[in-house]
Amino acid sequence: MQQSRTKTLVVSALIAALYVVLSVVPGVFNLASGAIQFRISEGLNHLVVFSKKYVFGVVLGVVLFNALFSSLGWIDVVFGGGQSLIGLVAVAYLAPHLPKLWQKMVLNICVMTLTMFLIAIEIVWTGHMSMSHAFLGVYGSLMLSEAVIMAITAPIMAALDRVLHFKN
């Protein structure tokens, strides 16, 4: 029992660290924050379709990246972490009701894309972007960037699962 908990904590820490590392690269090009976000790390959201045990590691990665690298600090921690937590918990509980992996991946893409409204609210509320007066424009660009990166990483995560067996 204790060994299982320790393994889960270590795996969660590794996922969080991987999330941060994968977010730093787009961050160098200013693509990890703002109205257009192409965080490669968002592909780790797909881990949750294999097991809900990955929720903590992914959310921790989001929180750490936002705490360490976001100019908005705690506001980004709350909104970004909240968006990830809400979306991933929803997927973790809905995905087991779907029979096929591709259906679970599509669910995940849709849920994580739709919950980007929280990030749009954050951007508009803080006036972080020059176009912050246009909620729908910000939300639309966030949805598009999230959907694209999640769609690109879905087959990659499915292929990795065949080798790494994420359920275990």
Side-chain angles (χ1 to χ4, degrees):
M1 181 80 155
Q2 181 63 23
Q3 184 179 8
S4 176
R5 267 192 253 165
T6 302
K7 180 182 176 185
T8 300
L9 273 173
V10 169
V11 169
S12 293
L14 289 170
I15 291 168
L18 184 59
Y19 187 97
V20 171
V21 168
L22 290 174
S23 295
V24 167
V25 174
V28 170
F29 301 101
N30 204 25
L31 292 174
S33 299
I36 299 174
Q37 297 187 8
F38 283 106
R39 291 186 185 181
I40 300 162
S41 53
E42 285 294 290
L44 295 175
N45 290 336
H46 289 300
L47 288 171
V48 176
V49 303
F50 300 103
S51 175
K52 64 183 177 186
K53 68 183 175 189
Y54 296 118
V55 170
F56 179 71
V58 176
V59 172
L60 181 60
V62 171
V63 167
L64 286 173
F65 178 78
N66 290 347
L68 295 171
F69 297 101
S70 173
S71 61
L72 295 177
W74 70 270
I75 295 171
D76 213 9
V77 167
V78 171
F79 278 86
Q83 181 264 344
S84 294
L85 182 63
I86 290 167
L88 293 175
V89 167
V91 170
Y93 286 97
L94 293 172
H97 301 288
L98 299 172
K100 299 189 186 287
L101 179 60
W102 71 266
Q103 293 170 327
K104 295 174 185 188
M105 294 279 196
V106 169
L107 169 71
N108 194 26
I109 293 167
C110 292
V111 169
M112 296 310 292
T113 298
L114 291 173
T115 58
M116 291 301 282
F117 79 90
L118 288 169
I119 309 305
I121 290 170
E122 171 194 9
I123 290 170
V124 170
W125 178 54
T126 60
H128 185 62
M129 302 294 295
S130 59
M131 60 186 257
S132 64
H133 63 282
F135 172 81
L136 290 178
V138 173
Y139 185 36
S141 66
L142 286 168
M143 287 177 63
L144 181 62
S145 57
E146 183 75 2
V148 166
I149 202 69
M150 293 286 290
I152 289 170
T153 57
I156 295 168
M157 294 303 284
L160 285 172
D161 176 57
R162 287 191 287 276
V163 175
L164 300 174
H165 310 288
F166 293 133
K167 283 188 181 183
N168 303 329

